[in-house]
Structure formats: C-alpha cells, structure tokens
Amino acid sequence: MSGTDIERRPNAEVERDGQEPRRFDTPIHSGIMSFRPVLPSFNERTLARIDKVPADGPIPTTMTRRISKAVRKARRNALKQVRKQSTARTRTERRRKERTGEDLLPRSTGPFRSLHGLFGFGGTGMLNLPAHSTSTYRAGVLTPWLASGLTEFEGPLIGKENTTGTPFRFDAWSPVRAGVATSVNGMVVGMMGSGKSMFLKTFAVREISYGRHVIIMSDPKGEWVRVAEAIGGQAVSVGHGSYMNPLDIGRKPAGLDDMKWFMDCQSRRSVALSGLVSSLREGQVPTSAEQSLLDAAAEDMCLGQLDPTVTAFVEALDGEWGRSRQIRGLNDTTRDQCCRSLILTLDKLVHGSLQGAFECESTINVDPSSPIIVFDTSGIDSNDTIKRSVYTAALSSTIDSILTAKDGLYRLIIAEEGWEVLGNPMLVDAWDKRMRMTGEWACSNWMLLHELADLEKFGPPESEQRKKIDGILTLSETKVIYKQSPSSLAYLSALLPDLTDDEKYAIPRLDRGVGLFRVGDKVRTLVHPVVSRTAYPVFNTDKGRFG
C-alpha cells in the first residue's frame, strides 16, 4: 500500500493489543518509512589520532569535536543528496503528468521537504530497495517492531527468533498443548543448501534430550548415521545378506483383543505386499484382481497357512496354493494370470538383482528403545530409483511394526527424502494413515521436501494422486519453509491460502539457515537454529559444496 493511499473505513473496528476494538470514522492512513544511514568520513590523519585513544580511557575533547564536525558534514551531504533525488523525482513526475494531462499537485514547501527519503513516507527514499509494506492495523511476519508473531512453546531450545533474538523452543507436541494446532505432524521444505537438513538434525537431537525417540525412514547420504553414532543410537543397514523381513508384524501389544490383532496383522501384511509390488512397478498399483490375491495371501499368513516371507509367497504363487486357492470374484483363469504377473514382479526380490535384503526372515534386530534408529540406504545407487523405492516401502512396513507395538514411547518419524514416499501411491496411503493415527501410535511425522514446484511430476492438481499428496501436506500443521524459488510460490500459495504478501516477498530471499515457522494459522516467525561447536561438524553436510 503506497503512502498516498487513503482508505475510508466508516465504523470500522480496529483491534489494538490488549484493548477493546474501537470505531473510527476518520480516514486510516498507511505508508512506508525509509531510512538512510549517516556515516562520517575521516582522513588518514584523524583516523591515526583516533587509533591512539586508549580503549578504556576517555576520548579527548578535541577528538570529540572532530567527530561531531565529521558527523554534521556527513549529515549535510546526505540531505543534499536526498534533496537532489527528491527534486529529480518531482521533475520526472511533473513531466509525466504534463504529458498525460493530469492535474499537478502543489510542490511541498514545508520545513521537512528535504527529509523525504531520509525518514519519510510513501517511498523507499535513498535505500534503493523494494519497499516492505504492511497495513497499519495488522502487522505481518516481517514487521518485528510491531509484533513478532512468536508464541511461547514448551520444549527444547531449537534456536533464536531471527528478528528479535528471542530464544525459540519447540516440541512436536507443543502446538497442540498450546492450542494453536490440532496436529503434531510437520513438513520442512527448502532448496538445496538452504539449511533444512541442519534444522532437522538440530530438532531431532534436541527432541531426544527432551525424552522423545526418533526414526529416520531412509538415509540416502549417510548423514544421519554420524548422528546416530555420536549419541549412541542404532544405524541399520540392509542388504548383502542382512535381511529385514517387511512381513514381520512384531509382537502383539498387551491388552489388545485377538480379533483386532488379527485384522491389524492382515491389513499391514497386505499393505506391505502392495507397497513392494507398486515399488517394483515404478508406482503402478496392483490391479483389483491382484490385490484380492495379495489380501488372500496376507490372510493365510496370519492363519499360519503360509510362511510370512516374500520367498515363501513367490513359491506359493508358483505352487499348489496358487493353483487351488479360491478367491471370491476370481475364476481360475484370472487367478492364474494374476499369479504369473505377481511372480514376474516379486521374483526380482528372490532371484533377481534385488535379492539379499527383504525376501527372508529378519537377521537384524532393531532395538525399539534406541534413542534414534537410522535406516541407512546410502549403499544404494542414487540413480537406481526402483531399488530405492523398494527399500523405502519395505522399511516403512518395519516402522509400522514398531509403532503399533504401543510401547509408551513418543517418536518422531522423519522422511529425509519425502519424494520417495510421495512417488509411491501405496506409501502415500500408508503415510496418510500414520498421520491420522498419531494419537494412537504416539508418533509425529515429518517429511522433508525440496522444491514444491516438483509436485508437477506427480500429476496435475486435479488427479487423485495429487489430491492425496495435497491432503498430506495440509495435515502437516507445522510448516518450516526455507528458501524457495519464485516458481514454487504458486504451489506454496495454493497450500497456504493465507500466505501474506510479506511472506511471498521474503521466502525467495531468505538467508541461508533461516526458516519461516508457520504453526497453525496463528504463529509465523523466522527462526535460525543454534548449534554447538561440538554438534556442528556432525550435522554439517556442506563439505565439498563450495569447492
């Protein structure tokens, strides 16, 4: 809003901090304040004399006079420059209005005419920077001298509020306790090198000190392995004969009804098989006939009629079970076709290039009580998208087994590579369920994403897959936004309809390491994590980035 805008708001109610709303029948003015620093200049002789003044002694009177004289001279020069620029702008504006035939405004002749630009309204003056503007009756996130937007959360110290230096504390469950959110889930989004990984590591380790436990769903670069080793956690590496069985459903929670446990096991095994099939087919979900066959296999595994391993299932598909299992709605021909297609898909895990990781009984013992569990996937070629997707799907099933044990521990589940989850429709459904079960499973789910513009690769906004993804992002009521490219602002605006102009301007220009915390619809504040000298080399991932 420019400095010349005048908006008449008859009987408008304007809220003031700590006061009842008042009614105004007078115009409400708004504008932009601009500032110019005034720095004195000294010659070499004066600077040499200043250097000789003792740091703990008084400044001589002669030196004080010299400094005051230099300041007055700098102020006169600044005002002279402001006056010249103001005159040039006025002359240009008059010429424009003469060409367009507009009525001319009278030139200012008041005593403060020369201060326009140094401390004025209606323009950026001598700063030569885009104007930061906000309404005078409602402060935005970037107006710290009016309101910081900070809510005092309970939790460990994460960093400092960037504009005021106020300590910022945060626990994943604190927004719900404070009444500013109804969900404990979160998302972190930012360009590469913007500081999002440093924040997540700081956040996770501080949450561990607060009594929480952390699970890293996939660590493709081995960054979290260093963290786990530093704090006595567990790093799990699967493959080359170290097996993690995705069909292992863990132990039955105490007090759970047998029938409820049976249904849970059947559902989880069916989801695990569907996720593996979808990953091996690069996101293509099983057909309805194939899904019926997978559901039947999951049921028989829970009844003890099939061994709960991928190897046993593939052998059953190629044996008597696949030829004789009666499935409602499928005739023998359709069932045989489904068996053959599933054998061709899943046999890659048993006899193909992906064997040695998930086809047998588990040989790795995951310790649920470990402060942090990191599933290390750094040994997988980053270009092998199918293998990485299969690992993510299998490990997701293992994480669900830990959560459904309901051992009384509160856990943060962090998807370091969120795109791997969002690229698999079955994993999207599993993540969505986990987010909706946060109260029952005592978990807070955090997803790390890069450019939001990359959402295009998951289909148009009206597609079913995109609607599910948008629902996941919406359920994440805590959003930590680091620097984004201007092309991602449209997606961010669709995700956050109340995104202010201040935020749209600031997000592409955020300094490295500074993130915009948006918690619910009330808290908006810029936060910079504070990391100790001991933790920094463990958290830092910039080695080699700057050449």
Side-chain angles (χ1 to χ4, degrees), residues 417-454:
E417 292 294 333
W419 297 130
E420 293 179 2
V421 176
L422 299 181
N424 187 329
M426 304 307 299
L427 292 184
V428 169
D429 291 339
W431 187 270
D432 179 75
K433 180 180 179 180
R434 197 178 294 154
M435 295 180 74
R436 297 179 188 276
M437 295 292 289
T438 54
E440 181 131 1
W441 292 355
C443 64
S444 172
N445 304 280
W446 288 73
M447 183 175 289
L448 187 148
L449 304 172
H450 297 284
E451 286 276 12
L452 285 179
D454 294 340

Short mmCIF file of all heavy atoms in Angstrom, two decimals, residues 417-454:
data_model
loop_
_atom_site.label_atom_id
_atom_site.label_comp_id
_atom_site.label_asym_id
_atom_site.label_seq_id
_atom_site.Cartn_x
_atom_site.Cartn_y
_atom_site.Cartn_z
N GLU A 417 13.87 -38.15 2.56
CA GLU A 417 13.59 -37.97 1.14
C GLU A 417 12.09 -38.15 0.93
O GLU A 417 11.61 -39.24 0.61
CB GLU A 417 14.39 -38.97 0.30
CG GLU A 417 15.89 -38.73 0.31
CD GLU A 417 16.27 -37.42 -0.36
OE1 GLU A 417 15.52 -36.97 -1.25
OE2 GLU A 417 17.31 -36.85 -0.01
N GLY A 418 11.35 -37.06 1.11
CA GLY A 418 9.90 -37.14 1.01
C GLY A 418 9.39 -37.54 -0.35
O GLY A 418 8.33 -38.16 -0.48
N TRP A 419 10.15 -37.19 -1.40
CA TRP A 419 9.69 -37.51 -2.76
C TRP A 419 9.60 -39.02 -2.96
O TRP A 419 8.79 -39.49 -3.76
CB TRP A 419 10.63 -36.90 -3.80
CG TRP A 419 10.69 -35.41 -3.78
CD1 TRP A 419 11.80 -34.63 -3.75
CD2 TRP A 419 9.59 -34.49 -3.80
NE1 TRP A 419 11.47 -33.30 -3.74
CE2 TRP A 419 10.12 -33.18 -3.77
CE3 TRP A 419 8.21 -34.65 -3.82
CZ2 TRP A 419 9.32 -32.05 -3.77
CZ3 TRP A 419 7.41 -33.50 -3.83
CH2 TRP A 419 7.97 -32.23 -3.81
N GLU A 420 10.45 -39.81 -2.29
CA GLU A 420 10.39 -41.26 -2.43
C GLU A 420 9.08 -41.80 -1.87
O GLU A 420 8.55 -42.79 -2.37
CB GLU A 420 11.58 -41.90 -1.71
CG GLU A 420 12.92 -41.58 -2.35
CD GLU A 420 14.08 -42.23 -1.60
OE1 GLU A 420 13.81 -42.95 -0.62
OE2 GLU A 420 15.23 -42.02 -2.00
N VAL A 421 8.57 -41.17 -0.83
CA VAL A 421 7.28 -41.59 -0.27
C VAL A 421 6.15 -41.14 -1.17
O VAL A 421 5.25 -41.92 -1.51
CB VAL A 421 7.10 -41.01 1.15
CG1 VAL A 421 5.73 -41.36 1.70
CG2 VAL A 421 8.19 -41.53 2.08
N LEU A 422 6.18 -39.89 -1.60
CA LEU A 422 5.09 -39.34 -2.39
C LEU A 422 5.02 -39.95 -3.79
O LEU A 422 3.97 -39.88 -4.44
CB LEU A 422 5.23 -37.82 -2.50
CG LEU A 422 5.18 -37.05 -1.18
CD1 LEU A 422 5.31 -35.56 -1.43
CD2 LEU A 422 3.92 -37.36 -0.40
N GLY A 423 6.11 -40.54 -4.26
CA GLY A 423 6.12 -41.13 -5.60
C GLY A 423 5.47 -42.50 -5.66
O GLY A 423 5.26 -43.03 -6.75
N ASN A 424 5.16 -43.10 -4.51
CA ASN A 424 4.55 -44.43 -4.48
C ASN A 424 3.14 -44.30 -3.90
O ASN A 424 2.99 -43.96 -2.72
CB ASN A 424 5.40 -45.36 -3.61
CG ASN A 424 4.92 -46.81 -3.68
OD1 ASN A 424 3.74 -47.09 -3.84
ND2 ASN A 424 5.86 -47.73 -3.55
N PRO A 425 2.10 -44.57 -4.70
CA PRO A 425 0.73 -44.39 -4.20
C PRO A 425 0.43 -45.20 -2.94
O PRO A 425 -0.31 -44.75 -2.06
CB PRO A 425 -0.15 -44.85 -5.37
CG PRO A 425 0.72 -44.67 -6.57
CD PRO A 425 2.11 -44.96 -6.12
N MET A 426 1.02 -46.40 -2.84
CA MET A 426 0.77 -47.22 -1.66
C MET A 426 1.43 -46.61 -0.42
O MET A 426 0.88 -46.66 0.68
CB MET A 426 1.29 -48.64 -1.88
CG MET A 426 0.70 -49.32 -3.11
SD MET A 426 -1.11 -49.31 -3.16
CE MET A 426 -1.50 -50.24 -1.69
N LEU A 427 2.62 -46.03 -0.60
CA LEU A 427 3.30 -45.38 0.52
C LEU A 427 2.59 -44.09 0.92
O LEU A 427 2.60 -43.71 2.09
CB LEU A 427 4.75 -45.10 0.17
CG LEU A 427 5.66 -46.31 0.01
CD1 LEU A 427 7.09 -45.87 -0.25
CD2 LEU A 427 5.60 -47.20 1.24
N VAL A 428 1.98 -43.42 -0.05
CA VAL A 428 1.19 -42.23 0.26
C VAL A 428 0.03 -42.60 1.18
O VAL A 428 -0.24 -41.92 2.18
CB VAL A 428 0.67 -41.57 -1.03
CG1 VAL A 428 -0.37 -40.50 -0.71
CG2 VAL A 428 1.82 -40.96 -1.82
N ASP A 429 -0.64 -43.72 0.87
CA ASP A 429 -1.74 -44.17 1.72
C ASP A 429 -1.23 -44.56 3.11
O ASP A 429 -1.87 -44.24 4.13
CB ASP A 429 -2.44 -45.37 1.07
CG ASP A 429 -3.20 -44.99 -0.19
OD1 ASP A 429 -3.54 -43.79 -0.33
OD2 ASP A 429 -3.46 -45.87 -1.03
N ALA A 430 -0.06 -45.23 3.16
CA ALA A 430 0.49 -45.64 4.46
C ALA A 430 0.89 -44.43 5.29
O ALA A 430 0.67 -44.39 6.51
CB ALA A 430 1.69 -46.56 4.24
N TRP A 431 1.51 -43.43 4.65
CA TRP A 431 1.90 -42.22 5.37
C TRP A 431 0.68 -41.46 5.85
O TRP A 431 0.65 -40.93 6.97
CB TRP A 431 2.77 -41.34 4.48
CG TRP A 431 3.38 -40.16 5.17
CD1 TRP A 431 2.84 -38.92 5.29
CD2 TRP A 431 4.63 -40.12 5.85
NE1 TRP A 431 3.68 -38.09 5.99
CE2 TRP A 431 4.79 -38.81 6.35
CE3 TRP A 431 5.64 -41.05 6.08
CZ2 TRP A 431 5.92 -38.41 7.06
CZ3 TRP A 431 6.76 -40.65 6.79
CH2 TRP A 431 6.90 -39.36 7.27
N ASP A 432 -0.35 -41.40 5.01
CA ASP A 432 -1.58 -40.72 5.40
C ASP A 432 -2.20 -41.39 6.61
O ASP A 432 -2.67 -40.71 7.55
CB ASP A 432 -2.56 -40.72 4.22
CG ASP A 432 -3.87 -40.04 4.55
OD1 ASP A 432 -3.90 -38.81 4.61
OD2 ASP A 432 -4.87 -40.76 4.76
N LYS A 433 -2.21 -42.72 6.63
CA LYS A 433 -2.76 -43.44 7.79
C LYS A 433 -1.93 -43.15 9.04
O LYS A 433 -2.48 -42.94 10.12
CB LYS A 433 -2.78 -44.94 7.50
CG LYS A 433 -3.33 -45.76 8.67
CD LYS A 433 -3.35 -47.24 8.36
CE LYS A 433 -3.89 -48.04 9.55
NZ LYS A 433 -3.90 -49.50 9.27
N ARG A 434 -0.61 -43.13 8.89
CA ARG A 434 0.26 -42.86 10.04
C ARG A 434 0.00 -41.47 10.60
O ARG A 434 0.03 -41.26 11.82
CB ARG A 434 1.72 -43.00 9.60
CG ARG A 434 2.71 -43.15 10.73
CD ARG A 434 4.10 -43.32 10.17
NE ARG A 434 4.23 -44.57 9.45
CZ ARG A 434 5.09 -44.79 8.47
NH1 ARG A 434 5.90 -43.82 8.07
NH2 ARG A 434 5.15 -45.96 7.87
N MET A 435 -0.26 -40.50 9.73
CA MET A 435 -0.53 -39.15 10.19
C MET A 435 -1.86 -39.07 10.94
O MET A 435 -2.01 -38.28 11.87
CB MET A 435 -0.55 -38.18 9.00
CG MET A 435 0.79 -38.04 8.30
SD MET A 435 0.73 -36.88 6.91
CE MET A 435 0.67 -35.33 7.79
N ARG A 436 -2.81 -39.89 10.53
CA ARG A 436 -4.12 -39.88 11.18
C ARG A 436 -4.14 -40.71 12.47
O ARG A 436 -5.08 -40.61 13.25
CB ARG A 436 -5.19 -40.38 10.20
CG ARG A 436 -5.33 -39.48 8.98
CD ARG A 436 -6.37 -40.00 8.01
NE ARG A 436 -6.36 -39.24 6.77
CZ ARG A 436 -7.01 -38.09 6.58
NH1 ARG A 436 -7.70 -37.58 7.57
NH2 ARG A 436 -6.94 -37.46 5.42
N MET A 437 -3.10 -41.53 12.64
CA MET A 437 -3.03 -42.39 13.82
C MET A 437 -2.03 -41.85 14.85
O MET A 437 -1.56 -42.59 15.71
CB MET A 437 -2.63 -43.81 13.41
CG MET A 437 -3.64 -44.51 12.53
SD MET A 437 -5.18 -44.91 13.40
CE MET A 437 -4.60 -46.22 14.48
N THR A 438 -1.69 -40.58 14.77
CA THR A 438 -0.66 -40.04 15.65
C THR A 438 -1.02 -40.17 17.13
O THR A 438 -0.15 -40.41 17.96
CB THR A 438 -0.42 -38.56 15.32
OG1 THR A 438 -1.67 -37.85 15.37
CG2 THR A 438 0.18 -38.39 13.95
N GLY A 439 -2.30 -40.01 17.44
CA GLY A 439 -2.71 -40.14 18.83
C GLY A 439 -2.60 -41.56 19.34
O GLY A 439 -2.14 -41.81 20.45
N GLU A 440 -3.01 -42.51 18.51
CA GLU A 440 -2.99 -43.91 18.93
C GLU A 440 -1.59 -44.49 18.92
O GLU A 440 -1.23 -45.30 19.77
CB GLU A 440 -3.89 -44.73 17.99
CG GLU A 440 -3.95 -46.18 18.34
CD GLU A 440 -5.37 -46.70 18.41
OE1 GLU A 440 -6.30 -45.92 18.15
OE2 GLU A 440 -5.51 -47.85 18.73
N TRP A 441 -0.79 -44.10 17.93
CA TRP A 441 0.56 -44.65 17.80
C TRP A 441 1.63 -43.78 18.44
O TRP A 441 2.81 -44.13 18.41
CB TRP A 441 0.89 -44.86 16.32
CG TRP A 441 0.08 -45.95 15.67
CD1 TRP A 441 -0.80 -46.78 16.28
CD2 TRP A 441 0.07 -46.29 14.29
NE1 TRP A 441 -1.37 -47.64 15.38
CE2 TRP A 441 -0.85 -47.37 14.13
CE3 TRP A 441 0.73 -45.82 13.16
CZ2 TRP A 441 -1.11 -47.97 12.90
CZ3 TRP A 441 0.47 -46.42 11.93
CH2 TRP A 441 -0.43 -47.48 11.81
N ALA A 442 1.26 -42.65 19.00
CA ALA A 442 2.19 -41.74 19.70
C ALA A 442 3.37 -41.36 18.81
O ALA A 442 4.54 -41.49 19.18
CB ALA A 442 2.70 -42.39 20.99
N CYS A 443 3.06 -40.87 17.62
CA CYS A 443 4.12 -40.50 16.68
C CYS A 443 3.83 -39.14 16.06
O CYS A 443 2.68 -38.73 15.94
CB CYS A 443 4.28 -41.56 15.59
SG CYS A 443 2.83 -41.75 14.51
N SER A 444 4.89 -38.47 15.69
CA SER A 444 4.82 -37.21 14.94
C SER A 444 5.59 -37.41 13.65
O SER A 444 6.76 -37.79 13.67
CB SER A 444 5.42 -36.06 15.76
OG SER A 444 5.53 -34.88 14.98
N ASN A 445 4.94 -37.18 12.52
CA ASN A 445 5.51 -37.50 11.22
C ASN A 445 6.00 -36.24 10.52
O ASN A 445 5.23 -35.29 10.35
CB ASN A 445 4.46 -38.20 10.35
CG ASN A 445 3.90 -39.44 11.03
OD1 ASN A 445 4.50 -40.49 11.03
ND2 ASN A 445 2.72 -39.29 11.64
N TRP A 446 7.26 -36.25 10.12
CA TRP A 446 7.88 -35.10 9.48
C TRP A 446 8.45 -35.51 8.12
O TRP A 446 9.16 -36.50 8.02
CB TRP A 446 8.99 -34.53 10.36
CG TRP A 446 8.46 -33.83 11.56
CD1 TRP A 446 7.91 -34.41 12.67
CD2 TRP A 446 8.39 -32.43 11.78
NE1 TRP A 446 7.49 -33.45 13.56
CE2 TRP A 446 7.78 -32.22 13.04
CE3 TRP A 446 8.79 -31.32 11.03
CZ2 TRP A 446 7.56 -30.95 13.56
CZ3 TRP A 446 8.57 -30.05 11.55
CH2 TRP A 446 7.97 -29.88 12.80
N MET A 447 8.12 -34.71 7.12
CA MET A 447 8.57 -35.00 5.76
C MET A 447 9.41 -33.85 5.25
O MET A 447 9.04 -32.68 5.39
CB MET A 447 7.37 -35.24 4.84
CG MET A 447 7.73 -35.63 3.42
SD MET A 447 6.28 -36.03 2.41
CE MET A 447 5.79 -37.59 3.15
N LEU A 448 10.56 -34.17 4.67
CA LEU A 448 11.45 -33.16 4.11
C LEU A 448 11.31 -33.15 2.59
O LEU A 448 11.45 -34.19 1.94
CB LEU A 448 12.90 -33.45 4.51
CG LEU A 448 13.94 -32.39 4.14
CD1 LEU A 448 15.06 -32.34 5.18
CD2 LEU A 448 14.57 -32.66 2.77
N LEU A 449 11.05 -31.98 2.04
CA LEU A 449 10.87 -31.81 0.60
C LEU A 449 11.79 -30.71 0.11
O LEU A 449 12.27 -29.88 0.88
CB LEU A 449 9.42 -31.45 0.28
CG LEU A 449 8.35 -32.43 0.78
CD1 LEU A 449 6.96 -31.85 0.56
CD2 LEU A 449 8.47 -33.77 0.10
N HIS A 450 12.01 -30.69 -1.20
CA HIS A 450 12.86 -29.66 -1.79
C HIS A 450 11.96 -28.60 -2.43
O HIS A 450 11.23 -27.91 -1.75
CB HIS A 450 13.82 -30.29 -2.79
CG HIS A 450 14.77 -31.26 -2.16
ND1 HIS A 450 15.86 -30.85 -1.41
CD2 HIS A 450 14.80 -32.62 -2.14
CE1 HIS A 450 16.52 -31.91 -0.96
NE2 HIS A 450 15.89 -33.00 -1.39
N GLU A 451 11.99 -28.50 -3.72
CA GLU A 451 11.18 -27.51 -4.42
C GLU A 451 9.74 -28.00 -4.53
O GLU A 451 9.48 -29.09 -5.03
CB GLU A 451 11.76 -27.26 -5.82
CG GLU A 451 13.03 -26.45 -5.82
CD GLU A 451 12.75 -24.96 -5.78
OE1 GLU A 451 11.60 -24.57 -5.53
OE2 GLU A 451 13.69 -24.20 -6.01
N LEU A 452 8.79 -27.17 -4.11
CA LEU A 452 7.39 -27.55 -4.24
C LEU A 452 6.95 -27.60 -5.69
O LEU A 452 5.96 -28.25 -6.02
CB LEU A 452 6.51 -26.57 -3.46
CG LEU A 452 6.52 -26.74 -1.93
CD1 LEU A 452 5.62 -25.69 -1.30
CD2 LEU A 452 6.08 -28.12 -1.53
N ALA A 453 7.69 -26.92 -6.57
CA ALA A 453 7.35 -26.99 -7.99
C ALA A 453 7.51 -28.41 -8.52
O ALA A 453 6.92 -28.76 -9.55
CB ALA A 453 8.24 -26.03 -8.78
N ASP A 454 8.27 -29.25 -7.83
CA ASP A 454 8.46 -30.64 -8.26
C ASP A 454 7.20 -31.46 -8.10
O ASP A 454 7.15 -32.61 -8.56
CB ASP A 454 9.59 -31.30 -7.47
CG ASP A 454 10.94 -30.66 -7.77
OD1 ASP A 454 11.06 -30.01 -8.83
OD2 ASP A 454 11.87 -30.81 -6.96
#
